[in-house]
Structures are given as C-alpha cells and as structure tokens.
C-alpha cells in the first residue's frame, strides 16, 4: 500500500475566507507596515517594502482577487514569499488579514477547484480542502502572478469582476 504524500501549508484569512500557500515559498511573516508607493502601479500593488535589504513589492491580495481593500487591524500581517515562476523566483509580499498556522494536507484531501462563479477566477486556485466545516482555498501563486498569464497584464475594473 502506497503512503499518501503530505504537504505543509501556511493558512491565512482574507475576510471570512481561509486561504493557504505552500510553506516552502514562505520566507517570513512580518507585521504590516506601510509600503513606499509606486506611481501608476496596478491598484493591487501597494508599493515596495524593504525586507532585509531587498525591495519587495507588496500586493493586497484582497484587491487582486476582486475583494474590498484590506482594512488594517492589529492582526494584519505580510507574508514574504519567494514564488518560483519559470526559471526565476519572484519575491513579493502578500497582505493578509490574519495568519493562522502551518497545517499538513494529504494529497487525497485536496480537491480540484470547482468552477462555481465565485469572485475570483478559479484557474488561480490550485485546490480546496475541507476543514472545520468550511473550505481552505490553496492559491496557485505561479499562475496568479505569472507574467505570461493574464494576472499581471492588468486587472478588470471592479465593476467587471465576476
């Protein structure tokens, strides 16, 4: 009998929704600080933040996924990620309403993302896991931030986001 494979994920929330990213792409988790604004950037790009001598673009994932902008609270955190995209690694910071924990998910727990007409496009969802009577959405970071896909080609005005 083959052993099931298990992966570790960092879970965080955006509003009432719980999301996860693979632990191996998370460099560190920091308190939220205001970013240095970049003129004419997309609305989800909050600016740059110095992270240990490196300028890291800070993304409001709520805006990127068609949600309302993040309202800063004492629980707001920034996940500093190293996202492999093709032959390069993209360093970026994602603002989260709250970061919870590192949890293991077995491969058989991860279901394909249903195409259910939710506010973000399901092709950016790597899978969903049932947990505590709800769902955890695993984000496909490479797809969400790939320069070859539609993610960084610009976002639709909020009125056009399904």
């Amino acid at each position: 009998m083959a052993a099931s494979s298990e992966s570790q994920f960092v879970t965080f929330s955006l509003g009432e929704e719980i999301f996860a990213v693979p632990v191996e792409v998370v460099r560190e988790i920091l308190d939220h600080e205001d970013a240095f604004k970049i003129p004419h950037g997309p609305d989800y790009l909050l600016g740059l933040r110095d992270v240990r001598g490196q300028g890291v673009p800070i993304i409001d994932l709520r805006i990127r996924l068609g949600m309302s902008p993040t309202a800063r609270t004492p629980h707001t955190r920034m996940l500093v990620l190293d996202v492999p995209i093709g032959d390069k690694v993209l360093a970026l910071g994602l603002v989260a309403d709250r970061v919870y924990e590192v949890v293991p998910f077995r491969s058989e727990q991860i279901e394909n993302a249903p195409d259910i007409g939710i506010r973000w496009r399901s092709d950016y969802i790597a899978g969903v896991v049932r947990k505590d009577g709800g769902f955890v959405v695993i984000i496909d970071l490479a797809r969400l931030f790939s320069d070859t896909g539609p993610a960084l080609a610009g976002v639709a005005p909020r009125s056009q986001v399904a």
Side-chain angles (χ1 to χ4, degrees), residues 2-133:
S4 74
S5 64
E6 185 175 271
S7 299
Q8 302 282 324
F9 292 87
V10 175
T11 57
F12 60 94
S13 66
L14 301 176
E16 299 298 313
E17 311 300 328
I18 306 295
F19 294 88
V21 293
V23 72
E24 61 267 12
V25 302
V26 179
R27 184 189 317 171
E28 56 189 306
I29 299 168
L30 303 173
D31 289 337
H32 185 281
E33 292 179 5
D34 290 331
F36 175 82
K37 303 284 186 231
I38 299 176
H40 309 296
D43 59 352
Y44 58 84
L45 176 63
L46 299 178
L48 289 176
R49 178 169 170 195
D50 184 348
V51 177
R52 306 194 191 291
Q54 178 184 15
V56 174
I58 307 303
I59 305 296
D60 188 335
L61 190 56
R62 290 174 60 102
I63 294 173
R64 183 66 194 94
L65 296 176
M67 302 168 82
S68 62
T70 298
R72 189 172 176 175
T73 72
H75 302 290
T76 306
R77 298 289 181 266
M78 184 183 71
L79 290 96
V80 180
L81 309 176
D82 291 318
V83 182
I85 297 178
D87 59 352
K88 62 182 179 178
V89 175
L90 176 66
L92 56 89
L94 291 185
V95 177
D97 293 338
R98 181 184 294 248
V99 175
Y100 292 107
E101 61 186 340
V102 174
V103 295
F105 294 137
R106 294 183 318 275
S107 57
E108 63 267 15
Q109 286 180 282
I110 301 172
E111 302 172 22
N112 289 331
D115 187 10
I116 57 174
I118 51 182
R119 285 182 280 174
W120 54 88
R121 293 180 49 181
S122 63
D123 58 345
Y124 299 138
I125 299 173
V128 294
V129 176
R130 295 173 192 270
K131 185 173 186 313
D132 300 329

Side-chain angles (χ1 to χ4, degrees), residues 140-161:
D140 184 339
L141 292 165
R143 177 92 175 133
L144 188 61
F145 294 107
S146 171
D147 59 2
T148 59
L152 291 182
V155 293
R158 285 193 191 101
S159 61
Q160 294 180 359
V161 175

